[in-house]
Amino acid sequence: MATKFMTMPSRQPRNLVLFLISIRIMFGLSHAVGEWQAISEEEDMEMERQLSVINKPPIMSFETEFGDILDCIDIYKQHAFDHPLLKDHIVQTSPKNLPKSEGESPRLLPENIKCPPGSVLIKRTTKQDLIMANRLKPSGLNHPHQVPMEPKKGYAFATARYYSHNFGARTIMNVWRPEVASDQASLASLWIANGPLDKLNVLQAGWVVEPLLFSSNYTRLYTHWTVDNYKTTGCVNYLCPGFVQVHREITLGIVLNQISVYKGKQVDIEIAILRDGEWWLKLYNQFIGYWPQKLFYYMYGGANYVMWGGHVISPSNKPSPAMGNGHFPRDYNSSAYFKQTQIWDNVHLVYPLSDRLEPVMTVPACYYAAVIDGIAPGGSANLYYVAECGRRIEQKRN
Ligand SMILES: *[C@@H]1O[C@H](CO)[C@@H](O)[C@H](O)[C@H]1NC(C)=O
Ligand SMILES: *[C@@H]1O[C@H](CO)[C@@H](O)[C@H](O)[C@H]1NC(C)=O
């Protein structure tokens, strides 16, 4: 199945252009998430207990200029191994068969932030993070991160999807810091999925601006996984046991402080989810860690679905936020984008077949995706997205 791609090497994939039109629509849920009561003493104690489980005793700690605490944790003692399925898990320190990528990784944190051998860098979960994560759930908004398949109130997405057997994918996306209200989120992500809808196994990575989850409006490196379509299993980053961190200098949740400039310098991150025994997360040319295959019942034989694009959440009756940089891609190079997205077939990274790349949008009048031919050289599948509502919607193409 996987070799199918390799038999069609000269195929020129089209570029997927994702127009993202922030018409400031309201697609709110009936009740806003805003009015929460103060937490009780018991809740507070319960929260402290949960925090003591999530945050293992650090070997050393750093504080960043953004107020995050980053801990060095014994690699064998990290929260991941609290998962019942990972009791006897043997830690992998690096993948065995994955290609090393060319190019350098820009430094995301100051040089002095480096954990000693045998330990890994993990962003500490704060009480605020936990309060938010806990309280998002009953509101029906335990994540803005559903796999974009069906329209859902309070959410909008504009993405490209690709049904195909795979063992992961990689993409290059530019980094933005869309303005969002305190209860909104805007993210750009790569999704890998398989399984029946109610047991959908999903791995997801990209960037997000989500004040509810991180108590700040910075753009952050973000992942999410689930094995039941986000109902009860899985979580963002390290909030629950699952993701095994191996890197000593980069942590999930890190602030991506270099932001692209509209019509100026573009700041890209290269992100990949690649299976080699486990499901590895790669940022630029660095392996950050992995989600153990054992957690993903429906992904033993690989995944069958890849998706990439933008996603916004707007639970209350406020104008919805922008995706990406909020600009329409007049020249197809002034907007947010995904470039050179490739599918990992377990041996090679291959470009998707253009005629099977499908743009999917829930609110096309406002967040628009389209496949455009012949923009980028070298046969890369690029996806641009933007927000510039109404005014230029007539330019949309299919
Ligand atoms: C982030 O939040 C601060 C404080 O609430 C606000 O002043 C600033 O404009 C926000 N920035 C963005 C990009 O949303
Ligand atoms: C990208 O934008 C620059 C500046 O706006 C323009 O000169 C150039 O032709 C554009 N390239 C493409 C491929 O549209």
Side-chain angles (χ1 to χ4, degrees):
M1 180 113 196
T3 52
K4 223 187 220 170
F5 302 129
M6 290 151 52
T7 61
M8 308 180 77
S10 60
R11 193 76 183 243
Q12 181 89 350
R14 286 176 294 173
N15 300 286
L16 183 82
V17 177
L18 193 63
F19 301 103
L20 206 168
I21 312 209
S22 73
I23 192 169
R24 299 276 158 193
I25 48 152
M26 309 205 185
F27 52 177
L29 298 175
S30 42
H31 22 258
V33 205
E35 286 124 48
W36 291 321
Q37 294 125 28
I39 56 170
S40 69
E41 206 169 307
E42 286 110 81
E43 276 179 304
D44 194 60
M45 276 167 60
E46 171 56 19
M47 210 116 28
E48 293 289 352
R49 193 197 59 80
Q50 288 179 26
L51 282 177
S52 70
V53 174
I54 296 173
N55 297 319
K56 303 303 182 192
I59 293 166
M60 59 198 283
S61 304
F62 306 91
E63 182 165 3
T64 70
E65 59 184 303
F66 310 107
D68 296 336
I69 308 288
L70 311 182
D71 291 326
C72 296
I73 307 290
D74 183 327
I75 189 169
Y76 297 103
K77 293 187 178 150
Q78 56 185 302
H79 186 38
F81 303 123
D82 291 333
H83 196 292
L85 287 177
L86 302 179
K87 287 288 174 237
D88 306 312
H89 181 75
I90 296 163
V91 177
Q92 311 292 305
T93 50
S94 62
K96 308 270 178 297
N97 306 306
L98 292 177
K100 306 228 184 325
S101 58
E102 52 310 324
E104 296 203 348
S105 285
R107 260 210 97 82
L108 296 173
L109 285 167
E111 300 256 332
N112 69 312
I113 299 188
K114 184 171 191 162
C115 290
S119 67
V120 292
L121 191 68
I122 294 183
K123 179 181 174 294
R124 191 182 296 177
T125 298
T126 64
K127 196 184 282 185
Q128 193 64 20
D129 296 338
L130 210 53
I131 291 173
M132 291 311 180
N134 287 344
R135 286 185 175 187
L136 279 168
K137 279 182 192 158
S139 68
L141 294 173
N142 58 337
H143 57 85
H145 323 297
Q146 63 168 145
V147 162
M149 282 178 157
E150 304 156 57
K152 196 169 162 192
K153 216 172 176 212
Y155 300 81
F157 49 80
T159 55
R161 79 173 162 207
Y162 191 65
Y163 281 103
S164 148
H165 185 235
N166 69 80
F167 291 89
R170 60 80 84 164
T171 191
I172 294 173
M173 61 182 103
N174 55 359
V175 179
W176 297 98
R177 190 180 175 191
E179 238 176 77
V180 308
S182 60
D183 61 350
Q184 298 175 330
S186 180
L187 64 97
S189 180
L190 177 68
W191 289 261
I192 312 286
N194 203 7
L197 198 56
D198 65 328
K199 294 265 181 275
L200 198 66
N201 288 201
V202 188
L203 291 168
Q204 194 190 337
W207 58 256
V208 70
V209 179
E210 186 172 13
L212 271 187
L213 208 51
F214 294 104
S215 16
S216 70
N217 58 10
Y218 296 117
T219 304
R220 290 177 184 273
L221 179 64
Y222 137 92
T223 65
H224 202 124
W225 67 275
T226 177
V227 292
D228 64 351
N229 200 10
Y230 301 98
K231 284 199 295 285
T232 57
T233 59
C235 59
V236 170
N237 297 351
Y238 312 107
L239 271 176
C240 66
F243 186 81
V244 178
Q245 175 77 15
V246 304
H247 208 281
R248 297 193 281 133
E249 297 172 39
I250 301 171
T251 165
L252 303 180
I254 204 170
V255 171
L256 300 170
N257 198 35
Q258 301 291 312
I259 304 294
S260 302
V261 177
Y262 177 56
K263 293 204 165 171
K265 183 170 181 261
Q266 298 304 295
V267 178
D268 290 336
I269 54 170
E270 179 187 341
I271 220 162
I273 298 170
L274 306 168
R275 195 174 79 176
D276 179 11
E278 320 295 358
W279 291 88
W280 287 88
L281 174 70
K282 193 177 176 202
L283 182 68
Y284 304 104
N285 60 10
Q286 308 282 309
F287 291 99
I288 310 302
Y290 60 87
W291 297 272
Q293 168 53 52
K294 205 170 178 191
L295 303 181
F296 300 90
Y297 179 82
Y298 286 101
M299 302 226 286
Y300 273 95
N304 70 349
Y305 188 73
V306 178
M307 180 164 250
W308 54 100
H311 202 164
V312 295
I313 177 175
S314 188
S316 52
N317 286 327
K318 290 191 189 100
S320 59
M323 271 179 211
N325 66 2
H327 288 278
F328 195 93
R330 261 173 260 264
D331 315 316
Y332 305 118
N333 72 0
S334 54
S335 66
Y337 56 69
F338 287 75
K339 293 199 298 195
Q340 297 167 32
T341 303
Q342 290 176 297
I343 310 301
W344 173 243
D345 71 5
N346 217 13
V347 182
H348 299 100
L349 283 165
V350 290
Y351 286 110
L353 300 177
S354 55
D355 50 5
R356 282 168 45 197
L357 253 183
E358 212 186 326
V360 194
M361 302 144 264
T362 49
V363 194
C366 293
Y367 301 98
Y368 196 78
V371 175
I372 305 265
D373 282 315
I375 306 297
S380 61
N382 293 357
L383 170 150
Y384 294 77
Y385 58 105
V386 187
E388 197 188 276
C389 206
R391 286 179 282 169
R392 296 189 61 96
I393 188 75
E394 73 282 357
Q395 285 202 358
K396 76 187 182 190
R397 296 199 238 164
N398 278 308

mmCIF file of all heavy atoms in Angstrom, residues 263 330-334 374-377 384, ligand 2:
data_model
loop_
_atom_site.group_PDB
_atom_site.id
_atom_site.type_symbol
_atom_site.label_atom_id
_atom_site.label_comp_id
_atom_site.label_asym_id
_atom_site.label_seq_id
_atom_site.Cartn_x
_atom_site.Cartn_y
_atom_site.Cartn_z
ATOM 1 N N LYS A 263 4.341 40.043 4.722
ATOM 2 C CA LYS A 263 5.107 40.490 3.548
ATOM 3 C C LYS A 263 6.580 40.707 3.865
ATOM 4 O O LYS A 263 7.295 41.374 3.119
ATOM 5 C CB LYS A 263 4.502 41.760 2.948
ATOM 6 C CG LYS A 263 3.139 41.492 2.340
ATOM 7 C CD LYS A 263 2.758 42.468 1.275
ATOM 8 C CE LYS A 263 1.576 41.910 0.499
ATOM 9 N NZ LYS A 263 0.981 42.842 -0.421
ATOM 10 N N ARG A 330 -2.847 37.248 -1.678
ATOM 11 C CA ARG A 330 -2.890 37.858 -3.011
ATOM 12 C C ARG A 330 -1.847 37.256 -3.924
ATOM 13 O O ARG A 330 -2.106 36.923 -5.063
ATOM 14 C CB ARG A 330 -2.624 39.349 -2.891
ATOM 15 C CG ARG A 330 -3.867 40.179 -2.900
ATOM 16 C CD ARG A 330 -3.487 41.617 -2.591
ATOM 17 N NE ARG A 330 -3.767 41.905 -1.199
ATOM 18 C CZ ARG A 330 -4.894 42.486 -0.810
ATOM 19 N NH1 ARG A 330 -5.792 42.863 -1.688
ATOM 20 N NH2 ARG A 330 -5.130 42.688 0.458
ATOM 21 N N ASP A 331 -0.628 37.181 -3.403
ATOM 22 C CA ASP A 331 0.465 36.633 -4.218
ATOM 23 C C ASP A 331 0.773 35.203 -3.802
ATOM 24 O O ASP A 331 1.788 34.664 -4.155
ATOM 25 C CB ASP A 331 1.751 37.452 -4.017
ATOM 26 C CG ASP A 331 1.481 38.935 -4.061
ATOM 27 O OD1 ASP A 331 0.726 39.352 -4.948
ATOM 28 O OD2 ASP A 331 2.028 39.648 -3.192
ATOM 29 N N TYR A 332 -0.061 34.659 -3.016
ATOM 30 C CA TYR A 332 0.175 33.336 -2.447
ATOM 31 C C TYR A 332 1.460 33.293 -1.661
ATOM 32 O O TYR A 332 2.008 32.258 -1.405
ATOM 33 C CB TYR A 332 0.165 32.250 -3.533
ATOM 34 C CG TYR A 332 -1.108 32.318 -4.305
ATOM 35 C CD1 TYR A 332 -1.089 32.599 -5.656
ATOM 36 C CD2 TYR A 332 -2.316 32.148 -3.671
ATOM 37 C CE1 TYR A 332 -2.277 32.696 -6.358
ATOM 38 C CE2 TYR A 332 -3.499 32.254 -4.359
ATOM 39 C CZ TYR A 332 -3.478 32.534 -5.708
ATOM 40 O OH TYR A 332 -4.636 32.645 -6.378
ATOM 41 N N ASN A 333 1.999 34.404 -1.317
ATOM 42 C CA ASN A 333 3.158 34.330 -0.428
ATOM 43 C C ASN A 333 3.116 35.393 0.663
ATOM 44 O O ASN A 333 4.125 35.711 1.256
ATOM 45 C CB ASN A 333 4.476 34.336 -1.209
ATOM 46 C CG ASN A 333 4.782 35.692 -1.804
ATOM 47 O OD1 ASN A 333 4.024 36.641 -1.638
ATOM 48 N ND2 ASN A 333 5.894 35.781 -2.506
ATOM 49 N N SER A 334 1.955 35.955 0.861
ATOM 50 C CA SER A 334 1.872 36.930 1.948
ATOM 51 C C SER A 334 0.967 36.409 3.062
ATOM 52 O O SER A 334 0.611 37.134 3.963
ATOM 53 C CB SER A 334 1.339 38.255 1.410
ATOM 54 O OG SER A 334 0.131 38.038 0.735
ATOM 55 N N GLY A 374 0.609 24.830 -9.429
ATOM 56 C CA GLY A 374 1.796 25.437 -10.015
ATOM 57 C C GLY A 374 2.370 26.648 -9.311
ATOM 58 O O GLY A 374 2.910 27.527 -9.971
ATOM 59 N N ILE A 375 2.278 26.720 -8.038
ATOM 60 C CA ILE A 375 2.872 27.863 -7.354
ATOM 61 C C ILE A 375 4.335 27.592 -7.012
ATOM 62 O O ILE A 375 5.216 28.351 -7.378
ATOM 63 C CB ILE A 375 2.116 28.213 -6.059
ATOM 64 C CG1 ILE A 375 0.633 28.421 -6.336
ATOM 65 C CG2 ILE A 375 2.716 29.439 -5.411
ATOM 66 C CD1 ILE A 375 0.320 29.565 -7.247
ATOM 67 N N ALA A 376 4.551 26.528 -6.350
ATOM 68 C CA ALA A 376 5.903 26.298 -5.850
ATOM 69 C C ALA A 376 6.695 25.389 -6.781
ATOM 70 O O ALA A 376 6.142 24.469 -7.372
ATOM 71 C CB ALA A 376 5.834 25.678 -4.466
ATOM 72 N N PRO A 377 7.957 25.649 -6.903
ATOM 73 C CA PRO A 377 8.793 24.759 -7.695
ATOM 74 C C PRO A 377 9.066 23.470 -6.924
ATOM 75 O O PRO A 377 8.877 23.410 -5.723
ATOM 76 C CB PRO A 377 10.082 25.557 -7.872
ATOM 77 C CG PRO A 377 10.127 26.457 -6.682
ATOM 78 C CD PRO A 377 8.706 26.737 -6.296
ATOM 79 N N TYR A 384 -1.681 27.648 1.705
ATOM 80 C CA TYR A 384 -1.627 29.006 2.235
ATOM 81 C C TYR A 384 -2.967 29.320 2.866
ATOM 82 O O TYR A 384 -4.002 28.937 2.341
ATOM 83 C CB TYR A 384 -1.373 30.006 1.117
ATOM 84 C CG TYR A 384 -0.025 29.875 0.476
ATOM 85 C CD1 TYR A 384 0.226 28.868 -0.436
ATOM 86 C CD2 TYR A 384 0.993 30.752 0.787
ATOM 87 C CE1 TYR A 384 1.465 28.742 -1.033
ATOM 88 C CE2 TYR A 384 2.231 30.638 0.201
ATOM 89 C CZ TYR A 384 2.466 29.635 -0.715
ATOM 90 O OH TYR A 384 3.684 29.519 -1.295
HETATM 91 C C1 LIG B 2 5.959 37.111 -3.285
HETATM 92 O O1 LIG B 2 5.818 38.439 -2.822
HETATM 93 C C2 LIG B 2 6.753 39.317 -3.341
HETATM 94 C C3 LIG B 2 6.547 40.656 -2.644
HETATM 95 O O2 LIG B 2 5.185 40.943 -2.485
HETATM 96 C C4 LIG B 2 6.598 39.399 -4.866
HETATM 97 O O3 LIG B 2 7.564 40.263 -5.409
HETATM 98 C C5 LIG B 2 6.779 38.004 -5.446
HETATM 99 O O4 LIG B 2 6.552 38.018 -6.820
HETATM 100 C C6 LIG B 2 5.830 37.043 -4.788
HETATM 101 N N1 LIG B 2 6.083 35.697 -5.245
HETATM 102 C C7 LIG B 2 5.140 34.861 -5.646
HETATM 103 C C8 LIG B 2 5.558 33.510 -6.052
HETATM 104 O O5 LIG B 2 3.971 35.175 -5.678
#
